[in-house]
Amino acid sequence: MDNTAESQPRISKIWAKNFRSIENFEMELDPLTVLVGPNASGKSNVVDVLRFMSDTAQNGLESALTTRRVDQVARRSSPRIKATDIEISVNIEGDSYSLEYEFVVRVPVGSGHKVIREKTRLASGEIRSKILEIEIRNGRLIKPQFNRPDDMPTEVYDGFKNPFDSASREIPSIAFPFNSIIPGLAFFRQARSLQDTVQSIKTLNESDEFLADMRFYHIFLNVLREPKKLRVNIL
């Protein structure tokens, strides 16, 4: 029997701000974490942070928002507020890596939304010594910075520097897991080798699949308490 197989990744920390009834919440998660509290204390909303991340990874941000009704997802601290920034962050721990991912989406009163920022930090290796980072703001690649080679035309450099080039339009969806030319360019400038680049992109995609594959189960105690109906077959 092969005992060298890697264990499944797990979520080690979640953080949310202005999500449903949550004003500002942060929690570290053990392999087994139990939430205990009275009714209407916010337990379901904490779980829904994870479900929201899973729905986003599986079906996209717009679907995750509309499923919950956009106007009810964002916490409104005052009726005079015209828009609310929802901030969500999740840490994923694997055998050989740690992944931190966060995004900020602005939800105005009424309808619509815009992705303001995304940030990913990937630490890999036995001592997590290989650090790779990507940051996108308003659809433009901020980190890593690219220095234009002397022989590269400016218009070509701009295309590499800001692959999304969408600062003038609404950003309706997130880019995670960056499964395109974006991580290839970003990681190639930070990674020590092509192998590190390929492995990093693979880790991002596996983390995205892990979030999308999460399952949530509801136990309805009132239903369990009800007596079972016997079925009698008359021959």
Short mmCIF file of all heavy atoms in Angstrom, two decimals, residues 69-132:
data_model
loop_
_atom_site.label_atom_id
_atom_site.label_comp_id
_atom_site.label_asym_id
_atom_site.label_seq_id
_atom_site.Cartn_x
_atom_site.Cartn_y
_atom_site.Cartn_z
N ARG A 69 -29.76 36.82 -3.79
CA ARG A 69 -30.30 38.16 -3.97
C ARG A 69 -29.23 39.19 -3.59
O ARG A 69 -28.86 39.34 -2.44
CB ARG A 69 -31.57 38.39 -3.15
CG ARG A 69 -32.77 37.62 -3.64
CD ARG A 69 -34.02 38.02 -2.89
NE ARG A 69 -34.27 39.47 -2.96
CZ ARG A 69 -35.29 40.05 -2.36
NH1 ARG A 69 -36.13 39.33 -1.63
NH2 ARG A 69 -35.48 41.36 -2.46
N VAL A 70 -28.74 39.86 -4.60
CA VAL A 70 -27.63 40.79 -4.43
C VAL A 70 -27.92 41.82 -3.35
O VAL A 70 -27.04 42.16 -2.54
CB VAL A 70 -27.32 41.48 -5.78
CG1 VAL A 70 -26.22 42.51 -5.59
CG2 VAL A 70 -26.91 40.46 -6.82
N ASP A 71 -29.14 42.32 -3.29
CA ASP A 71 -29.45 43.38 -2.34
C ASP A 71 -29.46 42.90 -0.90
O ASP A 71 -29.46 43.70 0.03
CB ASP A 71 -30.80 44.02 -2.68
CG ASP A 71 -31.93 43.01 -2.66
OD1 ASP A 71 -31.66 41.82 -2.86
OD2 ASP A 71 -33.08 43.42 -2.46
N GLN A 72 -29.46 41.56 -0.68
CA GLN A 72 -29.44 41.03 0.68
C GLN A 72 -28.07 40.48 1.08
O GLN A 72 -27.86 40.15 2.24
CB GLN A 72 -30.49 39.92 0.82
CG GLN A 72 -31.92 40.42 0.68
CD GLN A 72 -32.95 39.33 0.89
OE1 GLN A 72 -32.61 38.17 1.10
NE2 GLN A 72 -34.22 39.70 0.85
N VAL A 73 -27.16 40.38 0.14
CA VAL A 73 -25.83 39.85 0.45
C VAL A 73 -24.98 40.91 1.15
O VAL A 73 -24.23 40.61 2.08
CB VAL A 73 -25.12 39.37 -0.84
CG1 VAL A 73 -23.68 38.95 -0.54
CG2 VAL A 73 -25.88 38.21 -1.45
N ALA A 74 -25.08 42.15 0.70
CA ALA A 74 -24.25 43.21 1.26
C ALA A 74 -24.89 43.78 2.52
O ALA A 74 -26.08 44.10 2.55
CB ALA A 74 -24.05 44.32 0.24
N ARG A 75 -24.11 43.93 3.56
CA ARG A 75 -24.58 44.51 4.81
C ARG A 75 -24.66 46.02 4.67
O ARG A 75 -23.68 46.67 4.30
CB ARG A 75 -23.62 44.13 5.95
CG ARG A 75 -24.03 44.69 7.31
CD ARG A 75 -23.03 44.27 8.38
NE ARG A 75 -23.44 44.75 9.68
CZ ARG A 75 -23.13 45.95 10.17
NH1 ARG A 75 -22.41 46.79 9.44
NH2 ARG A 75 -23.54 46.32 11.36
N ARG A 76 -25.82 46.60 4.97
CA ARG A 76 -26.01 48.04 4.87
C ARG A 76 -26.09 48.61 6.28
O ARG A 76 -27.07 48.40 6.99
CB ARG A 76 -27.31 48.37 4.13
CG ARG A 76 -27.49 47.62 2.80
CD ARG A 76 -26.54 48.10 1.74
NE ARG A 76 -26.86 47.48 0.45
CZ ARG A 76 -26.13 47.62 -0.64
NH1 ARG A 76 -25.02 48.34 -0.61
NH2 ARG A 76 -26.49 47.02 -1.76
N SER A 77 -25.04 49.30 6.69
CA SER A 77 -25.02 49.87 8.04
C SER A 77 -25.87 51.13 8.16
O SER A 77 -26.21 51.55 9.25
CB SER A 77 -23.58 50.18 8.47
OG SER A 77 -22.97 51.08 7.56
N SER A 78 -26.21 51.71 7.01
CA SER A 78 -27.01 52.92 7.02
C SER A 78 -27.79 53.02 5.71
O SER A 78 -27.25 52.67 4.64
CB SER A 78 -26.13 54.17 7.19
OG SER A 78 -26.88 55.35 6.96
N PRO A 79 -29.03 53.48 5.74
CA PRO A 79 -29.80 53.62 4.49
C PRO A 79 -29.24 54.67 3.55
O PRO A 79 -29.60 54.71 2.37
CB PRO A 79 -31.20 54.00 4.99
CG PRO A 79 -30.99 54.58 6.36
CD PRO A 79 -29.83 53.83 6.93
N ARG A 80 -28.36 55.52 4.06
CA ARG A 80 -27.77 56.56 3.22
C ARG A 80 -26.59 56.05 2.39
O ARG A 80 -26.11 56.73 1.48
CB ARG A 80 -27.31 57.73 4.08
CG ARG A 80 -28.45 58.49 4.76
CD ARG A 80 -27.92 59.57 5.68
NE ARG A 80 -27.17 59.02 6.79
CZ ARG A 80 -26.56 59.74 7.73
NH1 ARG A 80 -26.62 61.06 7.66
NH2 ARG A 80 -25.91 59.16 8.71
N ILE A 81 -26.09 54.85 2.70
CA ILE A 81 -24.95 54.29 1.97
C ILE A 81 -25.38 53.88 0.57
O ILE A 81 -26.36 53.15 0.40
CB ILE A 81 -24.36 53.09 2.74
CG1 ILE A 81 -23.72 53.57 4.05
CG2 ILE A 81 -23.32 52.35 1.89
CD1 ILE A 81 -23.12 52.45 4.86
N LYS A 82 -24.66 54.34 -0.43
CA LYS A 82 -25.01 54.06 -1.81
C LYS A 82 -24.41 52.74 -2.32
O LYS A 82 -24.94 52.15 -3.27
CB LYS A 82 -24.52 55.20 -2.72
CG LYS A 82 -25.11 56.56 -2.35
CD LYS A 82 -26.63 56.55 -2.46
CE LYS A 82 -27.22 57.91 -2.15
NZ LYS A 82 -28.71 57.90 -2.22
N ALA A 83 -23.31 52.29 -1.71
CA ALA A 83 -22.68 51.03 -2.13
C ALA A 83 -21.92 50.44 -0.96
O ALA A 83 -21.45 51.16 -0.07
CB ALA A 83 -21.74 51.27 -3.32
N THR A 84 -21.80 49.13 -0.96
CA THR A 84 -21.10 48.42 0.10
C THR A 84 -20.02 47.52 -0.51
O THR A 84 -20.26 46.84 -1.51
CB THR A 84 -22.07 47.54 0.92
OG1 THR A 84 -23.07 48.37 1.50
CG2 THR A 84 -21.33 46.79 2.02
N ASP A 85 -18.84 47.54 0.10
CA ASP A 85 -17.76 46.67 -0.34
C ASP A 85 -17.77 45.40 0.50
O ASP A 85 -17.52 45.44 1.71
CB ASP A 85 -16.41 47.36 -0.20
CG ASP A 85 -16.20 48.45 -1.24
OD1 ASP A 85 -17.07 48.59 -2.13
OD2 ASP A 85 -15.18 49.16 -1.16
N ILE A 86 -18.04 44.28 -0.14
CA ILE A 86 -17.96 42.98 0.52
C ILE A 86 -16.53 42.47 0.38
O ILE A 86 -15.99 42.44 -0.72
CB ILE A 86 -18.94 41.97 -0.11
CG1 ILE A 86 -20.38 42.45 0.04
CG2 ILE A 86 -18.77 40.60 0.52
CD1 ILE A 86 -21.38 41.57 -0.69
N GLU A 87 -15.92 42.09 1.49
CA GLU A 87 -14.56 41.58 1.47
C GLU A 87 -14.55 40.17 2.05
O GLU A 87 -15.08 39.94 3.14
CB GLU A 87 -13.63 42.48 2.29
CG GLU A 87 -13.64 43.94 1.81
CD GLU A 87 -12.71 44.82 2.62
OE1 GLU A 87 -11.65 44.32 3.03
OE2 GLU A 87 -13.05 46.01 2.82
N ILE A 88 -13.97 39.25 1.33
CA ILE A 88 -13.90 37.85 1.76
C ILE A 88 -12.50 37.31 1.51
O ILE A 88 -11.90 37.58 0.46
CB ILE A 88 -14.95 36.98 1.03
CG1 ILE A 88 -16.36 37.38 1.45
CG2 ILE A 88 -14.72 35.50 1.30
CD1 ILE A 88 -17.44 36.57 0.81
N SER A 89 -11.99 36.58 2.48
CA SER A 89 -10.65 35.99 2.38
C SER A 89 -10.69 34.57 2.90
O SER A 89 -11.42 34.27 3.85
CB SER A 89 -9.65 36.82 3.18
OG SER A 89 -8.38 36.19 3.20
N VAL A 90 -9.91 33.71 2.27
CA VAL A 90 -9.85 32.31 2.69
C VAL A 90 -8.40 31.84 2.59
O VAL A 90 -7.68 32.21 1.66
CB VAL A 90 -10.77 31.42 1.83
CG1 VAL A 90 -10.37 31.49 0.36
CG2 VAL A 90 -10.77 29.99 2.32
N ASN A 91 -7.97 31.05 3.58
CA ASN A 91 -6.65 30.42 3.56
C ASN A 91 -6.82 28.93 3.36
O ASN A 91 -7.61 28.29 4.06
CB ASN A 91 -5.89 30.68 4.88
CG ASN A 91 -5.43 32.12 5.01
OD1 ASN A 91 -5.90 32.99 4.31
ND2 ASN A 91 -4.49 32.34 5.92
N ILE A 92 -6.07 28.37 2.42
CA ILE A 92 -6.12 26.94 2.14
C ILE A 92 -4.74 26.36 2.42
O ILE A 92 -3.72 26.87 1.94
CB ILE A 92 -6.52 26.67 0.68
CG1 ILE A 92 -7.91 27.25 0.39
CG2 ILE A 92 -6.50 25.18 0.37
CD1 ILE A 92 -8.34 27.12 -1.05
N GLU A 93 -4.71 25.30 3.21
CA GLU A 93 -3.45 24.64 3.57
C GLU A 93 -3.37 23.27 2.90
O GLU A 93 -4.29 22.46 2.99
CB GLU A 93 -3.37 24.45 5.10
CG GLU A 93 -3.29 25.75 5.89
CD GLU A 93 -1.95 26.44 5.76
OE1 GLU A 93 -0.96 25.77 5.38
OE2 GLU A 93 -1.89 27.66 6.04
N GLY A 94 -2.27 23.03 2.21
CA GLY A 94 -1.98 21.73 1.64
C GLY A 94 -0.72 21.16 2.26
O GLY A 94 -0.08 21.78 3.12
N ASP A 95 -0.34 19.97 1.85
CA ASP A 95 0.86 19.35 2.40
C ASP A 95 2.12 20.17 2.11
O ASP A 95 3.04 20.23 2.92
CB ASP A 95 1.03 17.94 1.84
CG ASP A 95 0.11 16.94 2.52
OD1 ASP A 95 -0.42 17.28 3.60
OD2 ASP A 95 -0.10 15.85 1.97
N SER A 96 2.16 20.79 0.94
CA SER A 96 3.38 21.48 0.53
C SER A 96 3.15 22.93 0.15
O SER A 96 4.00 23.54 -0.50
CB SER A 96 4.02 20.74 -0.66
OG SER A 96 3.12 20.68 -1.76
N TYR A 97 2.01 23.49 0.53
CA TYR A 97 1.75 24.88 0.17
C TYR A 97 0.74 25.51 1.11
O TYR A 97 -0.02 24.82 1.81
CB TYR A 97 1.23 24.98 -1.27
CG TYR A 97 -0.16 24.44 -1.47
CD1 TYR A 97 -1.28 25.25 -1.32
CD2 TYR A 97 -0.37 23.11 -1.80
CE1 TYR A 97 -2.56 24.76 -1.49
CE2 TYR A 97 -1.64 22.60 -1.98
CZ TYR A 97 -2.73 23.42 -1.83
OH TYR A 97 -3.99 22.94 -1.99
N SER A 98 0.74 26.84 1.11
CA SER A 98 -0.28 27.64 1.79
C SER A 98 -0.76 28.69 0.81
O SER A 98 0.05 29.39 0.21
CB SER A 98 0.29 28.32 3.04
OG SER A 98 0.77 27.37 3.97
N LEU A 99 -2.07 28.78 0.66
CA LEU A 99 -2.64 29.71 -0.31
C LEU A 99 -3.56 30.68 0.42
O LEU A 99 -4.47 30.27 1.15
CB LEU A 99 -3.43 28.96 -1.38
CG LEU A 99 -4.20 29.83 -2.39
CD1 LEU A 99 -3.23 30.57 -3.30
CD2 LEU A 99 -5.16 28.98 -3.21
N GLU A 100 -3.32 31.98 0.22
CA GLU A 100 -4.20 33.03 0.75
C GLU A 100 -4.86 33.72 -0.45
O GLU A 100 -4.17 34.18 -1.36
CB GLU A 100 -3.40 34.06 1.55
CG GLU A 100 -2.64 33.47 2.73
CD GLU A 100 -1.75 34.49 3.40
OE1 GLU A 100 -1.94 35.71 3.13
OE2 GLU A 100 -0.85 34.09 4.15
N TYR A 101 -6.17 33.76 -0.43
CA TYR A 101 -6.89 34.41 -1.53
C TYR A 101 -7.96 35.33 -0.96
O TYR A 101 -8.69 34.96 -0.04
CB TYR A 101 -7.54 33.37 -2.44
CG TYR A 101 -8.44 34.01 -3.47
CD1 TYR A 101 -7.92 34.79 -4.49
CD2 TYR A 101 -9.83 33.85 -3.40
CE1 TYR A 101 -8.74 35.39 -5.43
CE2 TYR A 101 -10.65 34.45 -4.34
CZ TYR A 101 -10.11 35.22 -5.35
OH TYR A 101 -10.93 35.83 -6.26
N GLU A 102 -8.04 36.53 -1.49
CA GLU A 102 -9.06 37.48 -1.04
C GLU A 102 -9.58 38.28 -2.22
O GLU A 102 -8.88 38.45 -3.23
CB GLU A 102 -8.50 38.44 0.01
CG GLU A 102 -7.43 39.39 -0.51
CD GLU A 102 -6.94 40.35 0.56
OE1 GLU A 102 -6.28 39.88 1.49
OE2 GLU A 102 -7.24 41.56 0.44
N PHE A 103 -10.82 38.72 -2.11
CA PHE A 103 -11.36 39.60 -3.13
C PHE A 103 -12.33 40.57 -2.49
O PHE A 103 -12.90 40.32 -1.43
CB PHE A 103 -12.02 38.82 -4.28
CG PHE A 103 -13.32 38.16 -3.92
CD1 PHE A 103 -14.52 38.84 -4.03
CD2 PHE A 103 -13.34 36.84 -3.50
CE1 PHE A 103 -15.72 38.22 -3.71
CE2 PHE A 103 -14.53 36.21 -3.19
CZ PHE A 103 -15.73 36.90 -3.29
N VAL A 104 -12.50 41.71 -3.15
CA VAL A 104 -13.41 42.76 -2.72
C VAL A 104 -14.35 43.05 -3.88
O VAL A 104 -13.92 43.33 -5.00
CB VAL A 104 -12.67 44.04 -2.32
CG1 VAL A 104 -13.65 45.11 -1.87
CG2 VAL A 104 -11.65 43.76 -1.23
N VAL A 105 -15.66 42.97 -3.61
CA VAL A 105 -16.65 43.27 -4.64
C VAL A 105 -17.57 44.38 -4.13
O VAL A 105 -18.04 44.32 -3.00
CB VAL A 105 -17.46 42.01 -5.02
CG1 VAL A 105 -18.13 41.39 -3.81
CG2 VAL A 105 -18.52 42.33 -6.08
N ARG A 106 -17.77 45.40 -4.93
CA ARG A 106 -18.61 46.54 -4.56
C ARG A 106 -20.04 46.30 -5.06
O ARG A 106 -20.26 46.05 -6.25
CB ARG A 106 -18.06 47.83 -5.14
CG ARG A 106 -18.85 49.09 -4.81
CD ARG A 106 -18.01 50.32 -5.05
NE ARG A 106 -16.86 50.33 -4.15
CZ ARG A 106 -15.79 51.11 -4.34
NH1 ARG A 106 -15.72 51.93 -5.37
NH2 ARG A 106 -14.78 51.06 -3.47
N VAL A 107 -20.98 46.38 -4.13
CA VAL A 107 -22.39 46.13 -4.46
C VAL A 107 -23.18 47.41 -4.20
O VAL A 107 -23.41 47.78 -3.04
CB VAL A 107 -22.96 44.97 -3.61
CG1 VAL A 107 -24.41 44.72 -3.97
CG2 VAL A 107 -22.13 43.70 -3.81
N PRO A 108 -23.59 48.11 -5.24
CA PRO A 108 -24.38 49.33 -5.04
C PRO A 108 -25.82 49.00 -4.66
O PRO A 108 -26.28 47.87 -4.83
CB PRO A 108 -24.31 50.01 -6.41
CG PRO A 108 -24.13 48.88 -7.37
CD PRO A 108 -23.31 47.84 -6.64
N VAL A 109 -26.52 49.98 -4.15
CA VAL A 109 -27.94 49.82 -3.84
C VAL A 109 -28.70 49.62 -5.16
O VAL A 109 -28.49 50.34 -6.13
CB VAL A 109 -28.49 51.04 -3.08
CG1 VAL A 109 -29.99 50.91 -2.88
CG2 VAL A 109 -27.78 51.18 -1.75
N GLY A 110 -29.57 48.65 -5.17
CA GLY A 110 -30.32 48.37 -6.39
C GLY A 110 -29.85 47.10 -7.04
O GLY A 110 -30.26 46.00 -6.67
N SER A 111 -28.96 47.19 -8.01
CA SER A 111 -28.46 46.02 -8.70
C SER A 111 -27.06 46.29 -9.23
O SER A 111 -26.59 47.43 -9.25
CB SER A 111 -29.39 45.63 -9.86
OG SER A 111 -29.43 46.68 -10.82
N GLY A 112 -26.41 45.22 -9.66
CA GLY A 112 -25.07 45.35 -10.22
C GLY A 112 -23.99 45.12 -9.19
O GLY A 112 -24.23 45.14 -7.99
N HIS A 113 -22.78 44.92 -9.65
CA HIS A 113 -21.63 44.77 -8.77
C HIS A 113 -20.35 44.97 -9.59
O HIS A 113 -20.37 44.90 -10.81
CB HIS A 113 -21.62 43.38 -8.12
CG HIS A 113 -21.46 42.26 -9.10
ND1 HIS A 113 -22.53 41.71 -9.79
CD2 HIS A 113 -20.37 41.59 -9.53
CE1 HIS A 113 -22.11 40.74 -10.58
NE2 HIS A 113 -20.80 40.64 -10.45
N LYS A 114 -19.26 45.25 -8.90
CA LYS A 114 -17.97 45.46 -9.54
C LYS A 114 -16.87 44.88 -8.66
O LYS A 114 -16.84 45.13 -7.45
CB LYS A 114 -17.72 46.95 -9.78
CG LYS A 114 -16.38 47.25 -10.44
CD LYS A 114 -16.19 48.74 -10.66
CE LYS A 114 -14.84 49.03 -11.31
NZ LYS A 114 -14.64 50.48 -11.55
N VAL A 115 -15.98 44.11 -9.26
CA VAL A 115 -14.85 43.55 -8.53
C VAL A 115 -13.78 44.63 -8.40
O VAL A 115 -13.28 45.15 -9.41
CB VAL A 115 -14.27 42.31 -9.24
CG1 VAL A 115 -13.09 41.76 -8.46
CG2 VAL A 115 -15.35 41.23 -9.38
N ILE A 116 -13.45 44.98 -7.17
CA ILE A 116 -12.49 46.05 -6.91
C ILE A 116 -11.06 45.53 -6.82
O ILE A 116 -10.13 46.11 -7.37
CB ILE A 116 -12.85 46.79 -5.60
CG1 ILE A 116 -14.28 47.35 -5.67
CG2 ILE A 116 -11.85 47.91 -5.32
CD1 ILE A 116 -14.48 48.33 -6.80
N ARG A 117 -10.90 44.41 -6.13
CA ARG A 117 -9.55 43.90 -5.93
C ARG A 117 -9.55 42.39 -5.77
O ARG A 117 -10.50 41.81 -5.22
CB ARG A 117 -8.92 44.54 -4.69
CG ARG A 117 -7.45 44.16 -4.48
CD ARG A 117 -6.85 44.81 -3.25
NE ARG A 117 -7.27 44.17 -2.01
CZ ARG A 117 -8.03 44.72 -1.10
NH1 ARG A 117 -8.50 45.93 -1.29
NH2 ARG A 117 -8.36 44.07 0.00
N GLU A 118 -8.50 41.76 -6.26
CA GLU A 118 -8.22 40.35 -5.99
C GLU A 118 -6.75 40.23 -5.62
O GLU A 118 -5.90 40.93 -6.17
CB GLU A 118 -8.49 39.48 -7.21
CG GLU A 118 -9.93 39.29 -7.57
CD GLU A 118 -10.07 38.36 -8.74
OE1 GLU A 118 -9.96 37.14 -8.55
OE2 GLU A 118 -10.30 38.86 -9.86
N LYS A 119 -6.48 39.32 -4.70
CA LYS A 119 -5.10 39.14 -4.29
C LYS A 119 -4.87 37.68 -3.92
O LYS A 119 -5.67 37.08 -3.20
CB LYS A 119 -4.77 40.04 -3.09
CG LYS A 119 -3.30 40.04 -2.70
CD LYS A 119 -3.04 41.05 -1.58
CE LYS A 119 -1.57 41.09 -1.19
NZ LYS A 119 -1.32 42.08 -0.11
N THR A 120 -3.80 37.12 -4.43
CA THR A 120 -3.42 35.74 -4.14
C THR A 120 -1.97 35.70 -3.70
O THR A 120 -1.10 36.33 -4.32
CB THR A 120 -3.60 34.83 -5.37
OG1 THR A 120 -4.96 34.82 -5.76
CG2 THR A 120 -3.18 33.41 -5.06
N ARG A 121 -1.72 34.97 -2.61
CA ARG A 121 -0.35 34.76 -2.13
C ARG A 121 -0.15 33.26 -1.95
O ARG A 121 -0.85 32.63 -1.18
CB ARG A 121 -0.11 35.49 -0.81
CG ARG A 121 1.33 35.40 -0.29
CD ARG A 121 1.47 36.17 1.02
NE ARG A 121 2.84 36.24 1.46
CZ ARG A 121 3.43 35.32 2.24
NH1 ARG A 121 2.73 34.24 2.62
NH2 ARG A 121 4.69 35.45 2.62
N LEU A 122 0.81 32.72 -2.67
CA LEU A 122 1.08 31.29 -2.64
C LEU A 122 2.47 31.05 -2.06
O LEU A 122 3.46 31.54 -2.61
CB LEU A 122 0.98 30.69 -4.04
CG LEU A 122 1.34 29.21 -4.19
CD1 LEU A 122 0.39 28.34 -3.37
CD2 LEU A 122 1.33 28.80 -5.65
N ALA A 123 2.54 30.33 -0.94
CA ALA A 123 3.82 29.94 -0.33
C ALA A 123 3.95 28.44 -0.45
O ALA A 123 3.07 27.69 0.00
CB ALA A 123 3.86 30.38 1.13
N SER A 124 5.03 27.97 -1.04
CA SER A 124 5.20 26.55 -1.26
C SER A 124 6.58 26.10 -0.77
O SER A 124 7.43 26.91 -0.39
CB SER A 124 5.04 26.21 -2.75
OG SER A 124 5.98 26.92 -3.53
N GLY A 125 6.79 24.79 -0.79
CA GLY A 125 8.03 24.22 -0.28
C GLY A 125 7.88 23.76 1.15
O GLY A 125 6.91 24.09 1.84
N GLU A 126 8.84 22.97 1.62
CA GLU A 126 8.76 22.41 2.98
C GLU A 126 8.70 23.49 4.04
O GLU A 126 8.03 23.33 5.06
CB GLU A 126 9.95 21.48 3.22
CG GLU A 126 9.94 20.22 2.35
CD GLU A 126 11.09 19.30 2.69
OE1 GLU A 126 11.90 19.65 3.58
OE2 GLU A 126 11.20 18.23 2.07
N ILE A 127 9.40 24.59 3.84
CA ILE A 127 9.38 25.69 4.83
C ILE A 127 8.66 26.92 4.27
O ILE A 127 8.83 28.02 4.77
CB ILE A 127 10.81 26.06 5.27
CG1 ILE A 127 11.66 26.47 4.07
CG2 ILE A 127 11.45 24.92 6.03
CD1 ILE A 127 13.04 26.98 4.46
N ARG A 128 7.86 26.68 3.23
CA ARG A 128 7.07 27.75 2.61
C ARG A 128 7.95 28.93 2.19
O ARG A 128 7.63 30.09 2.43
CB ARG A 128 5.97 28.23 3.56
CG ARG A 128 5.05 27.12 4.08
CD ARG A 128 4.27 26.47 2.96
NE ARG A 128 3.20 25.64 3.46
CZ ARG A 128 3.30 24.33 3.68
NH1 ARG A 128 4.46 23.72 3.45
NH2 ARG A 128 2.27 23.65 4.12
N SER A 129 9.09 28.60 1.59
CA SER A 129 10.07 29.64 1.27
C SER A 129 9.86 30.25 -0.11
O SER A 129 10.40 31.31 -0.41
CB SER A 129 11.48 29.05 1.35
OG SER A 129 11.62 27.95 0.46
N LYS A 130 9.08 29.59 -0.98
CA LYS A 130 8.83 30.12 -2.31
C LYS A 130 7.53 30.92 -2.29
O LYS A 130 6.46 30.36 -2.11
CB LYS A 130 8.75 28.98 -3.33
CG LYS A 130 10.01 28.11 -3.40
CD LYS A 130 9.82 26.93 -4.34
CE LYS A 130 11.06 26.04 -4.35
NZ LYS A 130 10.87 24.85 -5.23
N ILE A 131 7.67 32.21 -2.45
CA ILE A 131 6.52 33.11 -2.34
C ILE A 131 6.19 33.68 -3.71
O ILE A 131 7.05 34.30 -4.35
CB ILE A 131 6.78 34.25 -1.35
CG1 ILE A 131 7.26 33.70 0.01
CG2 ILE A 131 5.55 35.11 -1.20
CD1 ILE A 131 6.24 32.85 0.71
N LEU A 132 4.96 33.49 -4.15
CA LEU A 132 4.49 34.06 -5.40
C LEU A 132 3.20 34.84 -5.12
O LEU A 132 2.34 34.37 -4.38
CB LEU A 132 4.22 32.94 -6.42
CG LEU A 132 5.41 32.03 -6.75
CD1 LEU A 132 4.97 30.90 -7.67
CD2 LEU A 132 6.53 32.82 -7.40
#
